[in-house]
Each structure stands twice: as C-alpha cells, then as structure tokens.
Amino acid sequence: MDSHPLLSAVEVAEIEPYLRKAGEVFRVFGDQDSGCVGYGVRLPDGERWFVKVALTARAQGSLDRAWAFHNRVRHPVIVPQVHRFAVRDGRTAAVLPWRPGEVLYQGRRTGPDAPMTRFRALPVPTVLRVVDRILDAHLAVEAAGQVAVDLYDGAFLYDFEGDAVQLVDLDEYRPGPFVLQEDRLPGSTRFMAPEERRRGAVIDVRTTVYVLGRAARLLLDAGDDERRWRGTAGQLAVVERATRHDPGERFAGVREFVGAWRAVGGVQPRERRDTTKG
C-alpha cells in the first residue's frame, strides 16, 4: 500500500513544492495574524486536508502548543491536528482534516455578504444549537485541564449548507490555571476577560467562562452594537453572570455555566443529543 503523502511525511525540504507534488493546492491562506500560512490540499483520490505552517518563531511556538493541546483534547466540534512533519528550515507543518464552511469573522462582521451578518439572520433555534455545540466542546477542554485563550469569532467555522459548526485555530489554548507573565494575552478585546489584559493575573476556568459568555452574547445579538438581543431574559441573565468583571462572581467553571445555560432553554433535549455528533 502506498504511504499517505501527508500523514506519513516525516521531513520535507520545502513546503509548497511538496504539497503541489502531493496534490492540488486549491486554497492558500496567507498573511494571517497568527504568523502562519495555511494550505487547502486536494489529494488525487479527492480527499481534502488543511496544512498549516509557521512563518515566525512565535507562530511555531503556537503550533507546538496546539500539538500538545490536540493530544489532550478530542471533541467532534474541535478540528484536530492529526499529524505533523518537519520542514528542513526548522519549522513544522501541522496536518488537519479539511472541514467545509466559513469562519464567521473575516476582517469584518457587517455588510450583507459578511458571514456574521448571514449567521445572525438564521433562526434563533439554529443559533442556540451552534452555541450549545461550542459550549459542549469546552466541557472537554475543561475536563482536560485546559483553558481557552484567543477564542473569538474567527475560530468559529460554520457550514451554512450543512448546519455544522467547527472550532479551528485553537493554537493558544494551554493548561491552566497559570499566571499571566505578559502585559496581555493574544485575543480579540470583544471576547477577552479583564484578567487577560493584566500582568500577574490568574488565568483559569473562570476566564474560559467569561469568553464563552461573550461568545453567546455576540452570536445571539442581531448586531455589533449589542442592543438587539435575540435570546430570552433568562439566557441574558446567565450571560451577564458569566461575564462579570470579578472572576469570583462568575460561574465556578464551564460545567456550571453550561448547566445554567441549558436550564434556561439554551438547547432543546433533542438538539442536545445532536451536539455529540459534531
């Protein structure tokens, strides 16, 4: 049996020539804030994969962190790193299965054709199902002793045709709790907890609760001004507790937050079972 050109690769001299030899490079994601470049690769048998390579030393550190994270956390909603191989200049390439869809943030959230605008026009039950899948994935994150870092709408890959959400680019997730040794963590200010921007602060599961609360708040609002909440008053109360400034006033962890969210109708019983399918 022939070896798989991506999953059995150990080391290559140059990434792009190798990928073009392996198959068709049908998408290139360059100039990313992460410092990485990504490639959509279609193999001769039609199988599609995503290959991600760091361009900077800092980005390489994030890819290494992501490899450790994906070895600890598995969930149908989280797109995994399944293999990696060396590039001769000292970098590594991460290999992930290709998933259809569009990330909800692509440099803008407004405009009739923006993915977030289209997502916010979906029926509320559909949005609630997406939120619940994201929360369910973070139950696995919490169970593995990991905390969310740099989660924002650019990590939400939504397939409008298949009604499926996936989480991508979780490269900054890491074991917690930990003490912040920098002035701030990477991330979007729209999602970040206050402690993520304070050197010496403790980053733990309550930080993850805050970020998930912000995700629910923004996905269920009809606009960026956050004045057109589409959920219920009970759901908004849960979100407001999750996103309190003082970590001690939030839910104690993801499981407690998810339990409170589901108790106020965050997902229907039938839809809750569907979340395990990814």
Side-chain angles (χ1 to χ4, degrees):
M1 179 181 293
D2 293 337
S3 60
H4 194 288
L6 298 180
L7 299 184
S8 62
V10 176
E11 183 179 16
V12 303
E14 297 180 81
I15 188 65
E16 289 198 21
Y18 182 80
L19 296 180
R20 296 187 189 280
K21 182 179 179 181
E24 174 196 358
V25 177
F26 64 89
R27 290 283 300 276
V28 177
F29 302 86
D31 193 24
Q32 303 293 305
D33 291 341
S34 65
C36 294
V37 59
Y39 303 90
V41 182
R42 182 182 290 107
L43 300 184
D45 63 1
E47 194 174 54
R48 295 191 295 174
W49 294 88
F50 181 71
V51 179
K52 188 173 184 179
V53 186
L55 299 178
T56 66
R58 180 165 184 167
Q60 182 61 56
S62 293
L63 276 188
D64 292 343
R65 183 182 293 114
W67 180 251
F69 169 78
H70 287 291
N71 276 311
R72 291 181 174 92
V73 180
R74 289 284 189 272
H75 190 277
V77 168
I78 298 174
V79 181
Q81 286 189 13
V82 297
H83 181 63
R84 66 176 183 168
F85 57 86
V87 183
R88 196 164 294 167
D89 59 10
R91 297 176 294 160
T92 57
V95 182
L96 303 87
W98 179 267
R99 295 288 187 261
E102 300 174 66
V103 293
L104 293 186
Y105 179 68
Q106 298 181 7
R108 62 191 179 96
R109 296 181 180 87
T110 59
D113 59 340
M116 181 60 84
T117 299
R118 291 156 50 210
F119 180 82
R120 284 169 164 164
L122 295 173
V124 168
T126 299
V127 177
L128 286 173
R129 187 162 58 249
V130 168
V131 171
D132 189 74
R133 287 169 176 165
I134 293 169
L135 297 183
D136 199 70
H138 282 83
L139 290 174
V141 171
E142 180 179 61
Q146 304 286 300
V147 295
V149 178
D150 195 20
L151 179 68
Y152 74 116
D153 39 2
F156 305 151
L157 180 73
Y158 184 68
D159 180 2
F160 285 89
E161 294 185 4
D163 181 27
V165 66
Q166 302 276 278
L167 293 175
V168 298
D169 293 336
L170 306 184
D171 297 354
E172 295 294 337
Y173 279 41
R174 59 195 75 179
F178 65 92
V179 176
L180 181 57
Q181 302 294 335
E182 307 168 76
D183 290 336
R184 60 163 284 167
L185 285 167
S188 165
T189 55
R190 291 169 59 81
F191 285 77
M192 294 174 73
E195 61 268 23
E196 294 185 84
R197 289 168 279 178
R198 188 172 67 249
R199 181 186 290 267
V202 174
I203 309 299
D204 60 12
V205 291
R206 294 179 188 268
T207 309
T208 303
V209 166
Y210 185 102
V211 176
L212 293 175
R214 288 296 296 158
R217 183 69 180 86
L218 292 165
L219 292 176
L220 270 163
D221 203 286
D224 271 3
D225 55 9
E226 298 184 38
R227 296 178 180 176
R228 291 175 285 172
W229 174 250
R230 301 178 70 203
T232 67
Q235 290 162 358
L236 186 58
V238 170
V239 166
E240 289 175 342
R241 178 178 172 188
T243 56
R244 288 177 182 169
H245 188 277
D246 182 349
E249 296 181 357
R250 302 172 198 159
F251 296 101
V254 176
R255 184 163 298 279
E256 184 179 349
F257 170 45
V258 173
W261 177 257
R262 289 175 173 171
V264 294
V267 67
Q268 298 302 312
R270 177 183 63 81
E271 296 171 337
R272 188 179 307 164
R273 290 196 296 271
D274 289 346
T275 65
T276 63
K277 300 177 183 178

